[in-house]
Amino acid sequence: MALKRQKKKILQRVIGYFHGTIFLFSIIIGAGIFIAPKGVLKYSSLNVGVSLSIWAACAIVSMMAALSHAELGTTFPKSGAQYYFLKRSFGPFIAFFHLWIHLFSTPAGIAARGLLLAGYITQPFYPGCFVPEMPKKCLALAILWCLGILNARGVKEVTWFQTVSTVVKMTVLCFISLTGIALLVRGKKENLARFENAFDAEVPEASQIAEAFLQGLYSYAGWGVLVRIAGELKNPSENIPKCVITAVTLVALIYLLVNISYLAVLTPKEIISSDAVAVTWVDRVIPSMQWAISIGVSSSIVSSLNCTLFSASRLFFVASQEGQMPWILSTLSIHSCPVVAVIQILIFASILIIPSDLITLINYVGYINWIQLGLMMAGLVKLRIQEPNLPRPYKVHLLLVFGTLAMSLFLVLTPIIKSPQMHHIYVLVFTLSGLFFYFPFVHFNLGSTYFNKITCFLQLLLNVSPADDVNEYISAKGTSQKIPPETATKKE
């Protein structure tokens, strides 16, 4: 009597156009719109006209980069497509550096947003004074590990949570936007003052404009999330470009209106001196609505955190399958979740929950991200030349690719040439430090019996097993295909 075959453990393609758009909203509209206006104004020399122009330009650049980036996920429709693409274009060495950077930059970003979220939640309990560090850190840790438990429950629970939290934060941002428009329509002198002579202030230098762009583009960060989770999308060749166009357009409109609303109520100096611009704004307009704003801001950040945790775990899952991370990270739970990868990110983020300057952190993360994006655009051009017959369901115009590459070079090189800072050296040293891990553990594949014992212990403790992915692979032509039954039988 034949035994009943168990359901295969694979990443399930359950995310369609609606939830794909929700995912984009969730990760893009996070902490950025509540902290980046401060940085953009600072590096714009408090010039209101330049600041708003940079926000509009950031929208155009983000759309251009997102559409160029979408080709990666449609050509290689698997989770962690950026990593796989870099490995195919430039080899395992460059792909490992992409992985190495995300191994630390992603938990650092999660830790910073966790602290920001905890600060927004606890601030109403400490009116008129600073929030003590200990309760803020403890709350941040509790939030992160609760999100880890949610991710471990599977994709359906995550998409449900993202939908609810996105509705809440969109409601709050629409409230801020419409209130600002109403104040401008009423035409009070103090509300219109900042816009009458918007460009009269000092004009920033090229290096300052580059830094301001990094601040504004941080608010759009995350538009590549669908490429990272392409293995769980339905019909990625159609849904990725459609979701990108829908989400980035609406986000750009909301961001412009929110910034106009901030400036209609607060002066540029008040904005850059505030640690919570939205809370300061509501204290000036409707003080009794502070709780509602805090809830909206909190839901915005927590949904972005959840989406980042979800997508980053897929990167480490795929890297483990490719042999560049410990094997245990490529295992799945009974809910088809790479739970070990989720736990690894949370451990790193928990260690990094320390006080930090958010503006400096944005520059670190933004600077590294644009280096990687420039590398991907160069790889895309390289693959177009080397493999012109590679099936590409969605093919972006090369003008957008070269435009994104040019913007990447501007943002990376201008600060170094015009005003070099120590954090540029830190980024270089950190990136090169990956060599000490790549050659012994990846290139030469050094291991030990001790590591194997730890792997067996974790597999039993967490009740995880290898993914049953023998029936699907990325073909030599770059498309997702099924292995013929006779070939699969031979492999088993």
Side-chain angles (χ1 to χ4, degrees):
M1 183 177 177
L3 292 174
K4 184 178 179 181
R5 191 170 185 178
Q6 293 183 344
K7 183 180 178 181
K8 284 186 175 293
K9 286 185 180 179
I10 58 174
L11 296 178
Q12 306 289 331
R13 291 190 182 274
V14 296
I15 302 174
Y17 168 74
F18 174 76
H19 285 114
T21 306
I22 291 294
F23 263 89
L24 277 174
F25 274 126
S26 298
I27 197 167
I28 294 176
I29 304 178
I33 189 57
F34 303 108
I35 58 177
K38 174 179 176 178
V40 173
L41 270 171
K42 175 184 175 182
Y43 290 111
S44 299
S45 302
L46 303 186
N47 191 313
V48 172
V50 171
S51 172
L52 292 177
S53 299
I54 286 174
W55 278 104
C58 285
I60 296 171
V61 171
S62 297
M63 179 67 80
M64 182 172 62
L67 289 175
S68 301
H69 196 251
E71 185 173 319
L72 278 60
T74 57
T75 306
F76 306 106
K78 64 179 292 183
S79 292
Q82 295 104 322
Y83 166 83
Y84 181 84
F85 169 79
L86 285 175
K87 189 175 181 181
R88 179 152 178 164
S89 299
F90 295 109
F93 186 69
I94 297 298
F96 177 79
F97 277 112
H98 172 73
L99 180 67
W100 175 254
I101 289 170
H102 276 284
L103 189 63
F104 296 96
S105 65
T106 299
I110 289 175
R113 280 180 285 172
L115 285 170
L116 181 67
L117 172 60
Y120 265 103
I121 294 174
T122 53
Q123 185 62 60
F125 297 97
Y126 299 89
C129 60
F130 290 104
V131 178
E133 290 297 319
M134 185 57 69
K136 186 162 68 172
K137 289 180 183 179
C138 291
L139 181 59
L141 286 170
I143 291 169
L144 293 186
W145 285 95
C146 286
L147 291 178
I149 294 171
L150 175 65
N151 272 266
R153 297 295 302 170
V155 180
K156 291 184 178 179
E157 282 74 10
V158 172
T159 54
W160 175 85
F161 178 82
Q162 294 299 101
T163 302
V164 174
S165 58
T166 299
V167 170
V168 174
K169 67 182 175 183
M170 289 297 288
T171 302
V172 171
L173 289 174
C174 287
F175 168 74
I176 294 174
S177 302
L178 294 175
T179 303
I181 292 172
L183 290 172
L184 291 176
V185 169
R186 287 169 58 186
K188 285 190 176 182
K189 187 176 180 180
E190 60 269 21
N191 298 131
L192 296 171
R194 262 83 70 185
F195 303 98
E196 289 177 348
N197 301 300
F199 290 92
D200 285 354
E202 179 186 352
V203 178
E205 298 177 355
S207 60
Q208 291 177 301
I209 291 175
E211 298 285 1
F213 261 104
L214 287 175
Q215 296 287 321
L217 290 169
Y218 175 77
S219 298
Y220 288 92
W223 40 253
V225 66
L226 296 186
V227 175
R228 191 177 290 178
I229 61 171
E232 290 161 278
L233 285 175
K234 299 175 183 177
N235 196 6
S237 61
E238 290 186 9
N239 283 330
I240 291 179
K242 285 168 59 180
C243 291
V244 164
I245 292 171
T246 303
V248 176
T249 301
L250 291 177
V251 168
L253 178 62
I254 291 171
Y255 278 7
L256 278 173
L257 292 176
V258 167
N259 275 280
I260 290 171
S261 181
Y262 287 157
L263 289 165
V265 176
L266 305 171
T267 65
K269 289 184 179 180
E270 287 174 332
I271 290 175
I272 66 170
S273 64
S274 173
D275 290 327
V277 180
V279 174
T280 305
W281 178 91
V282 80
D283 280 342
R284 186 69 58 82
V285 179
I286 312 175
S288 61
M289 290 291 291
Q290 184 177 357
W291 278 99
I293 293 294
S294 295
I295 291 172
V297 173
S298 300
S299 65
S300 179
I301 300 172
V302 76
S303 66
S304 179
L305 272 173
N306 188 51
C307 198
T308 301
L309 182 61
F310 178 85
S311 61
S313 63
R314 273 58 183 173
L315 170 63
F316 300 130
F317 169 81
V318 172
S320 176
Q321 288 184 320
E322 296 288 328
Q324 291 199 346
M325 290 286 282
W327 175 85
I328 190 68
L329 295 176
S330 64
T331 56
L332 296 175
S333 67
I334 58 173
H335 300 291
S336 297
C337 169
V339 67
V340 184
V342 172
I343 292 173
Q344 174 208 275
I345 296 169
L346 289 176
I347 290 174
F348 277 44
S350 299
I351 295 171
L352 293 170
I353 289 190
I354 55 175
S356 61
D357 182 354
L358 289 175
I359 288 183
T360 302
L361 181 62
I362 289 173
N363 282 344
Y364 274 113
V365 176
Y367 192 77
I368 290 173
N369 286 343
W370 279 91
I371 291 175
Q372 294 185 100
L373 182 62
L375 198 61
M376 288 179 192
M377 293 301 101
L380 196 152
V381 175
K382 180 175 180 285
L383 213 59
R384 286 276 188 97
I385 297 171
Q386 289 184 341
E387 302 184 48
N389 297 322
L390 186 69
R392 295 175 173 89
Y394 163 77
K395 195 172 182 178
V396 69
H397 198 285
L398 280 177
L399 283 176
L400 295 182
V401 177
F402 284 117
T404 304
L405 183 58
M407 191 65 191
S408 175
L409 290 173
F410 170 74
L411 293 175
V412 171
L413 297 179
T414 302
I416 296 176
I417 296 171
K418 292 290 186 179
S419 58
Q421 302 290 331
M422 281 303 297
H423 69 259
H424 300 136
I425 298 175
Y426 294 153
V427 168
L428 179 62
V429 172
F430 166 72
T431 303
L432 293 178
S433 66
L435 291 170
F436 295 104
F437 291 86
Y438 175 77
F439 284 106
F441 297 110
V442 178
H443 186 72
F444 295 108
N445 196 25
L446 297 180
S448 69
T449 306
Y450 185 67
F451 289 152
N452 293 334
K453 289 181 179 179
I454 293 176
T455 299
C456 292
F457 172 75
L458 290 175
Q459 191 175 357
L460 293 171
L461 176 67
L462 300 172
N463 190 25
V464 293
S465 58
D468 299 320
D469 58 351
V470 294
N471 287 332
E472 189 171 5
Y473 74 111
I474 299 295
S475 71
K477 293 184 177 180
T479 55
S480 179
Q481 298 183 4
K482 295 291 182 181
I483 294 179
E486 62 273 12
T487 308
T489 303
K490 290 178 183 178
K491 286 193 173 189
E492 291 179 349

